[in-house]
Amino acid sequence: AIYKTRTNTIADLHGYDVSGLYCEKQAVKVSFELHIYDIASRNKACQNVINWAKNGGRLEINDRADQYLTVRCAELPVINSVRDWTEPLTITFETVAIPFWMATTKNTLTLSGKSTTGTLKVTGNADNTAVTVNVTAKATITSLQIVCGGTKLSFSKAATGFSLSTGQVLKITYTNDRFLSVKVGSTSFLKHLSADSNDRLLATCGANNTVKVTASNSVTAAFQAEGLWL
């Protein structure tokens, strides 16, 4: 993983203060060989590898069981020598939105009622991971608050005109794995978020996260979170 440092300097003082670290991206270099003596055939095989790699996607490797990276291709393979037909070739992949290895099996928790509390145990050893939620109204609700760890999302009819009818499902997800999306069907409910809400619902990796759901009537809330690994 490639980490960068956020720093602050103070006038007339030497040195700097570290205000935080952030992981920008993670890179994986794949080395392979094409033992094909004929020049044209070897180049054709290399082009086939390029066509497979060029658009990136989901990368899984055998020493990272049950984990994967979402990647783009940062460096394509190039045949540098016609003579050395067994030379190693390389492809470099880099992460896109999430710079961590993601667990293929998601951590889940389902809570039901008007005021319920549970524990979402999340795997991994990175910092935080985004939590998705499907909230199904068992009766009409006009207020809803979801708390996970130190983050929360709040909805209120009095403050923002929020209302969810019996059987409707409020889906909390993330566009491009980064930006909060709140929808009922195809209709965005972001405008119904209260001003004191966070930008995302987050859980701490490698920890037991306390989750609370409070609504004006009974709901079922299904949570999912992917464990993230360095």
Side-chain angles (χ1 to χ4, degrees):
I2 300 174
Y3 274 86
K4 291 194 172 182
T5 305
R6 296 187 181 94
T7 61
N8 298 314
T9 58
I10 301 174
D12 298 328
L13 293 179
H14 298 294
Y16 60 89
D17 295 323
V18 176
S19 59
L21 296 173
Y22 69 98
C23 185
E24 182 183 58
K25 59 186 176 181
Q26 192 152 185
V28 174
K29 183 172 288 188
V30 178
S31 179
F32 65 99
E33 297 179 8
L34 296 174
H35 289 195
I36 304 172
Y37 185 75
D38 180 76
I39 298 170
S41 297
R42 188 163 185 256
N43 184 65
K44 183 179 179 180
C46 187
Q47 290 300 315
N48 289 336
V49 174
I50 288 173
N51 288 335
W52 165 77
K54 65 182 181 180
N55 294 323
R58 178 169 169 148
L59 178 66
E60 299 181 40
I61 58 177
N62 59 6
D63 64 341
R64 285 275 189 167
D66 303 320
Q67 297 176 24
Y68 70 97
L69 287 177
T70 300
V71 298
R72 67 178 184 87
C73 188
E75 185 178 352
L76 291 167
V78 176
I79 295 177
N80 294 311
S81 172
V82 173
R83 182 190 63 190
D84 298 328
W85 60 280
T86 61
E87 72 165 343
L89 304 175
T90 59
I91 307 171
T92 301
F93 294 101
E94 290 182 351
T95 51
V96 187
I98 298 177
F100 304 110
W101 292 89
M102 292 175 275
T104 55
T105 302
K106 295 184 179 181
N107 306 277
T108 62
L109 171 69
T110 299
L111 299 175
S112 294
K114 286 180 63 174
S115 180
T116 57
T117 302
T119 300
L120 179 62
K121 185 176 182 179
V122 180
T123 55
N125 60 3
D127 295 332
N128 298 314
T129 185
V131 179
T132 65
V133 196
N134 284 356
V135 180
T136 304
K138 298 302 183 182
T140 298
I141 62 171
T142 54
S143 67
L144 172 68
Q145 185 177 84
I146 304 168
V147 177
C148 183
T151 57
K152 70 175 180 180
L153 299 177
S154 299
F155 305 85
S156 168
K157 185 174 184 178
T160 62
F162 171 78
S163 180
L164 203 62
S165 301
T166 304
Q168 283 190 309
V169 181
L170 182 78
K171 295 187 176 183
I172 299 169
T173 59
Y174 302 89
T175 304
N176 296 331
D177 291 322
R178 294 170 67 85
F179 307 108
L180 181 66
S181 171
V182 182
K183 288 185 177 181
V184 175
S186 60
T187 303
S188 175
F189 265 50
L190 280 174
K191 65 182 179 181
H192 297 301
L193 268 176
S194 300
D196 62 344
S197 296
N198 294 103
D199 293 332
R200 293 189 297 167
L201 202 63
L202 298 175
T204 302
C205 294
N208 293 323
N209 297 267
T210 299
V211 177
K212 299 178 181 179
V213 179
T214 307
S216 55
N217 267 313
S218 183
V219 299
T220 296
F223 295 83
Q224 284 192 341
E226 287 182 307
L228 303 181
W229 298 86
L230 297 171

